[in-house]
Amino acid sequence: MQVKLFKETVQQNLPSLGEHNNRAKHALSESIFVVCMGSNDYINYLQPGSNARKLYNEEQFGEFLVKELGNHLEASFNFRELLNTFSPHNCFASPQDLYRVGARKFVVFEISPLGCLPDLIDKTKPPTSCNEQINGLVSIFNSYLGAKTNELTSTLNGSTFITAKTYQLVYDIVHNPLHHGFKDARYPCCASGINGNRGCKPGTVPCQRRDSHVFWDAVHPTEAVYRRIAAECFNGQALCTPMNIVQLSGQHL
């Protein structure tokens, strides 16, 4: 939905900019687009009676998601073609459309270890600190992702795709929280909801030291974890490859 709304905004407003149209297209090509997808797809895949599980085995599902992601990203390249074919009823609705509206710089994130989420641990009660079977499912997607982003960089003229390898960092934070400056990697900062609501219970008071927890609620990390990811991806040399975001921003297309 976010990609669809962005695409519609570009399609509807850029043609009316007249002499400023080229400046707007240049700004799009210099912008950095962050793509995070797949977590909810896997959470739905794990649900009892999931239609996706009836259609795809574990390997096929991971490969399918990465292929769809690649298709969506690729379709967002040809800005002129998209404007020529635009109508209110002819709108692409996927991240692939970003390339067609002029996006050239992408940061694509791996899926984090879902098997370590408090919500899924409480539901599946694994014998270890994380549900490694679920993590294995996610790793299938991640194993295909790097090759796909490399392929897109080589085939889509003028594009640069960065892969943010967040899985191992988050996994290590969960298993070695003290080493990373956290005290609690098992329980969220706020009490989770009930009846399938994974967010905080209304009216409850969250923990006082939020930065000491890895998880904010049953499914989301705390701001402290996201700050760590952002710092590594902006300035580090290992998390985001083949370059970090600062280096990507310095590229002029």
Side-chain angles (χ1 to χ4, degrees):
M1 178 57 70
Q2 292 175 348
V3 174
K4 181 176 182 291
L5 292 175
F6 174 78
K7 174 185 56 63
E8 290 176 354
T9 299
V10 171
Q11 291 169 327
Q12 294 172 14
N13 293 315
L14 258 65
S16 65
L17 293 179
E19 62 182 16
H20 300 294
N21 186 281
N22 288 334
R23 291 176 60 186
K25 288 192 287 185
H26 177 72
L28 281 176
S29 70
E30 290 296 321
S31 300
I32 296 175
F33 292 79
V34 177
V35 180
C36 303
M37 66 147 293
S39 295
N40 288 338
D41 296 284
Y42 270 102
I43 290 175
N44 292 332
Y45 182 81
L46 292 167
Q47 298 302 313
S50 165
N51 288 329
R53 297 192 77 166
K54 298 175 183 177
L55 296 172
Y56 305 100
N57 63 33
E58 297 173 357
E59 187 77 21
Q60 291 170 336
F61 188 66
E63 187 175 7
F64 166 76
L65 286 182
V66 171
K67 182 179 179 180
E68 285 298 296
L69 173 64
N71 290 339
H72 297 337
L73 291 169
E74 183 177 357
S76 41
F77 182 74
N78 193 338
F79 175 84
R80 186 177 301 278
E81 174 187 336
L82 191 63
L83 292 183
N84 289 340
T85 60
F86 169 71
S87 77
H89 305 290
N90 182 23
C91 294
F92 296 94
S94 61
Q96 180 180 0
D97 301 333
L98 292 174
Y99 189 75
R100 286 184 180 166
V101 298
R104 293 296 180 270
K105 298 180 178 182
F106 300 87
V107 181
V108 186
F109 278 75
E110 288 184 341
I111 301 176
S112 294
L114 299 182
C116 299
L117 295 179
D119 177 65
L120 292 179
I121 291 175
D122 290 338
K123 288 179 177 177
T124 61
K125 297 178 173 51
T128 56
S129 57
C130 294
N131 187 317
E132 298 303 341
Q133 182 178 2
I134 294 177
N135 285 340
L137 293 178
V138 171
S139 295
I140 295 172
F141 173 92
N142 292 337
S143 68
Y144 284 111
L145 183 62
K148 176 57 67 175
T149 54
N150 290 338
E151 173 190 325
L152 292 171
T153 295
S154 64
T155 57
L156 299 181
N157 185 38
S159 70
T160 302
F161 287 82
I162 287 177
T163 303
K165 298 184 176 182
T166 49
Y167 177 96
Q168 191 57 49
L169 174 60
V170 175
Y171 188 86
D172 193 57
I173 290 175
V174 169
H175 286 81
N176 302 284
L178 295 178
H179 176 75
H180 294 277
F182 297 94
K183 290 186 177 181
D184 194 327
R186 172 61 181 89
Y187 296 100
C189 182
C190 70
S192 300
I194 56 176
N195 297 326
N197 181 6
R198 302 181 183 95
C200 301
K201 288 182 181 178
T204 58
V205 178
C207 63
Q208 292 185 345
R209 297 192 59 190
R210 304 175 187 186
D211 286 358
S212 68
H213 283 252
V214 174
F215 293 101
W216 165 248
D217 59 21
V219 292
H220 298 103
T222 56
E223 181 181 341
V225 173
Y226 286 122
R227 281 202 306 266
R228 173 68 185 279
I229 292 172
E232 292 284 347
C233 204
F234 266 85
N235 300 296
Q237 301 299 321
L239 186 69
C240 285
T241 62
M243 67 186 72
N244 60 38
I245 291 178
V246 170
Q247 293 166 332
L248 177 64
S249 67
Q251 284 191 339
H252 299 292
L253 303 175

